[in-house]
């Protein structure tokens, strides 16, 4: 039997082209010669691997990548470790100021650049300037409002009766959080962790100010270095950018089911 | 000694009183049903006893010991929630044994008690299942087994049958009654369903507006309601109410008579109230005859199956005075008339 043509396909193709085109252009750029880049054609006239080789020679891309992945994973973990018990204490144990949930995001709304000078001196004072640990600490903290905002609906959806039942069963607040609440908000926790990790991975401004040696620089800062004083090395920059995209794309590809499920369903029925 | 003793129990939310001074003693092994309309404070009262709601005033004693300052788990009681509140990520065995694991019991003991509790509610074959793979009735039984496994002094039930369909509700009701008989447990059971209250309770405590309206055996409450509210709340169909003046009964403000106590006669019969049959509900074993009196009062009479009344028919309605419930203006029951001759009202 002939399969009927699905009319949603062209729409899907347009959407795919819209989102994939910049990436494809970047890929094409990374295989172009300098002259080709200036011609503006979509496909390279002559395919060259020189940009890839030179990109890895010109800058320690692998160190940048390792730094980025380390900073992103550790700061993501730190954010979740701070946020989950805090949100649980505010929302469920009714600790502290109850309107906090409404204003949490406001600190995230301020332009990040206003925090640069105080953070710079704080890190300097702590001896953490130009260190991976310093960046982990900064990202771990600045992403707390976003994580709080993301995890709140999941926490609210855990039925109060479940916790009351656990309380009658003899579980204290920490036991209730670990044994009852966390397993139930696991999809939300995964989605939140993933988002703050990606935010940290992509961050540029703080990294560009708080790190100034190749041994501590992250990938976004490293890529920006391909921009010379007079000449922008587009081909190498494209190769470096693609290298930077790969880890995030792999994570998104393998965990997207988790991400969608977590954000769409709230985890508990 | 009472299993539970409540004195002057009160609870307010931001100056709005929800429970207004409740005194109640529950004997060991007694099955007490707290019943009342939605919002009357019965669930709040139960949660106060469980320790899940703080008290505004009063004292709670369980087995003679004040438990007001004790955490819920230290009060030696267990609760079955309306929503079952099963831990969705744990198996049936995990749910039943959760409290025992927290208490740090040895594994073999936990296993033994989980199996014993499961056997009591016939769940033996389902111990490895997750709650999502169970039917509503099975989930309810897991919730009961979880409560039993802790071997509490008192079992609290918060509207445990309200999420079940009618057939399952009756089945589970019978099971709970059987369980109470077998375990001789002290049970405090909250419901808004009067059938549950009437069939399960050794004693019914009827609450209204944060207070106990009347406490007594089911028949006590049904046959001698202390207030107009109790008379109205218990009984299906509801009690028929008339203005006392119209009935020629001095001293009373309102007179009530249960549908099963109304006598219907042919329109040619002397005495009684004239009425017309509006419609008839056939329930199989009985017929509910809906009537409209000359004064436009809607009343219902419960008649045996096979009674001859049809819609549109004119009838005379009468009763025996001993079946009348008389209430004053404040809705309080007036003592029964000194003469209770089995005669028909004029």
């Amino acid at each position: 039997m002939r399969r009927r043509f699905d009319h949603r396909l062209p729409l899907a193709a347009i959407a795919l082209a819209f989102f994939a085109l910049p990436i494809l252009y970047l890929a094409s750029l990374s295989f172009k010669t300098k002259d080709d880049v200036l011609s503006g054609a979509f496909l390279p006239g002559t395919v060259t691997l020189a940009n890839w080789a030179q990109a890895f020679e010109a800058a320690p891309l692998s160190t940048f990548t390792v730094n980025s992945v380390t900073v992103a994973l550790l700061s993501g973990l730190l954010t979740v470790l701070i946020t989950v018990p805090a949100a649980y204490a505010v929302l469920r144990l009714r600790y502290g100021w109850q309107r906090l949930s409404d204003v949490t995001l406001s600190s995230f709304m301020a332009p990040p650049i206003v925090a640069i000078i105080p953070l710079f001196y704080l890190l300097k004072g702590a001896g953490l300037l130009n260190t991976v640990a310093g960046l982990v600490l900064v990202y771990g903290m600045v992403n707390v409002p976003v994580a709080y905002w993301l995890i709140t609906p999941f926490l609210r959806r855990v039925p109060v009766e479940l916790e009351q039942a656990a309380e009658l069963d003899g579980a204290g607040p920490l036991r209730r959080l670990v044994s009852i609440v966390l397993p139930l908000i696991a999809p939300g926790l995964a989605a939140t962790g993933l988002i703050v990790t990606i935010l940290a991975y992509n961050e540029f401004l703080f990294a560009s100010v708080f790190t100034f040696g190749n041994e501590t620089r992250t990938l976004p800062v490293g890529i920006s270095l391909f921009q010379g004083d007079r000449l922008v090395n587009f081909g190498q920059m494209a190769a470096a950018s693609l290298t930077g995209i790969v880890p995030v794309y792999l994570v998104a590809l393998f965990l997207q089911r988790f991400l969608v499920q977590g954000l769409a369903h709230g985890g508990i029925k | 000694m009472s299993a539970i003793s409540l004195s002057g129990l009160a609870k307010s939310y931001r100056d709005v009183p929800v429970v207004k001074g409740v005194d109640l003693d529950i004997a060991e092994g007694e099955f007490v049903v707290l019943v009342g309309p939605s919002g009357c404070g019965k669930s709040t009262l139960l949660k106060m006893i469980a320790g899940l709601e703080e008290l505004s005033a009063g004292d709670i004693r369980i087995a003679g010991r004040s438990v007001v300052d004790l955490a819920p788990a230290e009060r030696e009681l267990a609760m079955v929630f309306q929503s079952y509140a099963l831990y969705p990520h744990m198996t049936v065995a995990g749910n039943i044994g959760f409290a025992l694991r927290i208490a740090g019991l040895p594994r073999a003991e936990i296993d033994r008690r989980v199996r014993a509790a499961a056997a009591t509610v016939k769940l033996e074959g389902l111990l490895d299942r997750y709650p999502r793979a169970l039917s509503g009735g099975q989930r309810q039984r897991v919730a009961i087994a979880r409560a039993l496994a802790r071997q509490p002094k008192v079992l609290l039930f918060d509207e445990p049958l309200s999420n079940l369909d009618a057939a399952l509700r009756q089945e589970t009701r019978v099971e709970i009654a059987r369980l109470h008989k077998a375990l001789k447990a002290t049970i405090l059971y909250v419901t808004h369903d009067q059938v549950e209250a009437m069939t399960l309770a050794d004693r019914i405590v009827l609450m209204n507006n944060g207070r106990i309206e009347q406490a007594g055996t089911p028949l006590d409450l049904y046959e001698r309601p202390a207030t107009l509210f109790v008379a109205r709340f218990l009984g299906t169909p509801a009690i028929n109410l008339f203005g006392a003046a119209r009935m020629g009964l001095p001293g009373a403000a309102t007179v009530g008579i249960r549908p099963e106590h109304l006598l219907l006669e042919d329109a040619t019969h002397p005495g009684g109230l004239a009425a017309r049959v509006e419609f008839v509900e056939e329930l199989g074993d009985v017929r509910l005859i809906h009537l409209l009196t000359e004064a436009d009062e809607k009343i219902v009479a419960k008649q045996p199956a096979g009674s001859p009344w049809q819609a549109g028919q004119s009838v005379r309605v009468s009763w025996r005075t001993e079946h009348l419930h008389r209430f004053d203006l404040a809705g309080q029951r007036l003592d029964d008339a000194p003469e209770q001759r089995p005669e028909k009202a004029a």
Side-chain angles (χ1 to χ4, degrees):
Chain A
M1 199 168 76
R2 263 186 65 188
R3 288 181 65 180
R4 280 185 58 192
F5 177 73
D6 191 336
H7 293 281
R8 288 170 302 183
L9 272 176
L11 278 176
I14 292 169
L16 185 69
F18 181 78
F19 290 108
L21 211 59
I23 308 294
L24 292 174
Y25 187 70
L26 204 61
S28 160
L29 206 58
S30 74
F31 295 109
K32 283 180 178 173
T33 60
K34 273 184 187 159
D35 295 340
D36 260 354
V37 169
L38 296 176
S39 79
F42 185 81
L43 292 173
T46 326
V47 174
T48 172
L49 290 173
N51 290 325
W52 285 86
Q54 283 160 8
F56 277 86
E57 277 165 21
L61 278 185
S62 46
T63 309
F64 295 160
T65 310
V66 169
N67 286 345
S68 272
V69 171
T70 311
V71 167
L73 288 179
L74 291 181
S75 70
L77 190 68
L78 181 64
T79 305
V80 169
L81 282 178
I82 294 171
T83 311
V84 171
Y88 178 72
V90 173
L91 294 174
R92 279 308 170 88
L93 306 178
R94 300 268 148 202
Y95 276 123
W97 188 43
Q98 288 302 303
R99 298 297 301 274
L100 185 68
S101 304
D102 305 333
V103 296
T104 331
L105 264 189
S106 61
S107 63
F108 200 76
M109 297 300 166
I113 201 153
V114 300
I116 290 252
I117 293 171
L119 280 176
F120 185 91
Y121 282 102
L122 282 170
L123 284 177
K124 189 166 177 245
L128 291 173
L129 211 56
N130 196 28
T131 62
V132 167
L135 273 191
V136 168
L137 205 59
V138 170
Y139 292 161
M141 302 289 179
V142 296
N143 285 333
V144 165
V146 184
Y148 187 96
W149 181 69
L150 285 170
I151 205 75
T152 300
F154 292 94
L155 270 175
R156 284 195 207 276
R157 266 178 243 171
V158 176
V160 178
E161 284 86 5
L162 281 186
E163 284 204 66
Q164 290 180 334
E167 202 178 342
L168 275 163
D169 279 344
L174 190 64
R175 181 74 186 245
R176 295 204 295 275
L177 174 64
V178 174
S179 297
I180 307 295
V181 176
L182 286 188
L184 294 179
I185 62 167
L189 206 60
T192 305
L194 210 59
I195 289 170
V196 291
T197 301
I198 291 171
L199 280 176
Y201 185 86
N202 290 334
E203 207 281 337
F204 173 75
L205 184 67
F206 290 152
S208 70
V209 179
F210 301 148
T211 59
F212 25 83
N214 277 351
E215 71 286 0
T216 53
R217 275 182 181 131
T218 58
L219 212 54
V221 181
I223 293 168
S224 74
L225 296 178
F226 284 92
Q227 185 171 336
D229 286 339
R230 296 200 177 173
L231 191 75
V232 181
N233 208 330
F234 286 114
Q236 288 179 26
M237 209 176 202
S241 301
L242 282 171
T243 311
I245 286 171
V246 170
V248 198
Y249 266 53
L250 286 180
V251 167
L253 193 69
F254 288 112
L255 297 182
Q256 68 173 338
R257 196 169 55 92
F258 238 153
L259 198 65
V260 172
Q261 191 188 26
L263 292 180
H265 293 297
I268 296 151
K269 288 188 182 169
Chain B
M1 186 173 34
S2 304
I4 305 178
S5 177
L6 313 177
S7 50
L9 220 55
K11 171 80 185 174
S12 303
Y13 293 106
R14 294 183 181 181
D15 299 336
V16 179
V18 181
V19 175
K20 303 168 183 171
V22 166
D23 298 294
L24 182 67
D25 280 309
I26 298 171
E28 211 171 310
E30 198 178 10
F31 196 133
V32 171
V33 175
L34 275 176
V35 68
S38 298
C40 72
K42 55 190 189 299
S43 279
T44 308
L45 186 64
L46 197 75
K47 286 185 175 160
M48 287 160 79
I49 296 169
L52 299 172
E53 289 279 0
E54 280 184 21
L55 273 60
S56 302
D59 190 23
I60 302 168
R61 291 180 170 271
I62 294 176
R65 178 174 66 139
S66 175
V67 296
V68 172
D69 296 322
L70 296 184
E74 294 166 345
R75 298 185 178 201
E76 294 185 83
L77 40 78
M79 184 159 164
V80 176
F81 290 83
Q82 182 177 5
S83 59
Y84 319 135
L86 299 182
Y87 312 127
H89 56 297
M90 294 184 197
T91 60
V92 169
N95 267 281
I96 300 175
F98 185 65
L100 310 178
R101 287 204 303 280
I102 290 181
L105 261 58
R107 238 185 140 140
E109 173 66 6
I110 294 176
D111 198 47
R112 191 187 65 72
R113 275 164 71 167
V114 166
R115 284 180 192 286
T120 314
V121 291
K122 298 180 203 142
L123 277 173
E124 296 98 326
L126 304 173
L127 285 173
D128 295 328
R129 296 250 189 110
Y130 283 91
R132 62 177 173 272
L134 301 178
S135 69
Q138 289 168 334
R139 286 178 199 181
Q140 187 52 269
R141 299 219 300 271
V142 177
I144 295 172
R146 182 171 66 181
L148 294 178
R150 294 182 50 208
Q151 302 179 339
K153 286 207 166 86
V154 177
L155 271 172
L156 307 177
F157 286 84
D158 187 10
E159 308 214 18
L161 307 185
S162 55
N163 287 350
L164 302 179
D165 64 46
L168 206 53
R169 201 177 308 157
Q170 179 168 0
E171 197 184 309
T172 315
R173 201 172 69 209
V174 173
E175 257 183 68
I176 291 175
R178 184 183 58 78
L179 206 64
H180 173 241
K181 216 172 167 187
L183 301 173
K184 297 183 175 59
T186 308
I187 295 180
L188 185 55
Y189 185 109
V190 162
T191 181
H192 62 266
D193 185 320
Q194 51 162 304
V195 179
E196 270 172 50
M198 295 291 288
T199 52
L200 285 172
D202 291 330
R203 192 152 56 109
I204 291 180
V205 174
L206 205 160
M207 287 189 69
N208 180 31
N209 200 18
R211 286 198 181 85
I212 293 180
E213 193 83 15
Q214 188 178 1
T217 65
L219 278 185
D220 258 355
L221 265 69
Y222 189 76
E223 290 176 350
R224 290 181 51 80
T227 64
L228 199 53
F229 178 84
V230 178
R232 273 202 200 112
F233 190 84
L234 293 177
T236 313
I239 194 166
N240 296 298
L241 297 171
F242 303 93
R246 180 168 132 61
M247 307 283 288
L249 289 168
T254 311
V255 173
I257 181 154
R258 300 265 177 217
E260 63 271 26
H261 293 147
L262 284 180
L263 306 169
L264 299 191
E265 310 268 14
D266 205 283
T268 56
H269 202 272
L273 291 176
R276 192 169 50 79
V277 178
E278 274 206 303
F279 63 96
V280 177
E281 279 182 287
E282 296 284 2
L283 299 184
D285 54 342
V286 289
R287 306 177 81 214
L288 300 181
I289 319 291
H290 292 256
L291 303 149
L292 193 66
T293 68
E294 282 175 330
D296 268 353
E297 293 148 323
K298 288 185 175 176
I299 56 175
V300 181
K302 202 186 253 183
Q303 296 283 300
S307 61
W309 315 111
Q310 299 299 332
Q313 211 173 339
S314 291
V315 294
R316 308 275 320 170
V317 184
S318 60
W319 49 80
R320 293 170 185 275
T321 37
E322 75 211 57
H323 288 144
L324 291 180
H325 303 276
R326 304 184 312 137
F327 302 97
D328 64 15
L329 266 178
Q332 296 295 316
R333 182 183 188 83
L334 293 168
D335 283 335
D336 294 306
E339 294 173 54
Q340 290 196 338
R341 290 191 305 274
E343 63 182 24
K344 289 173 187 171

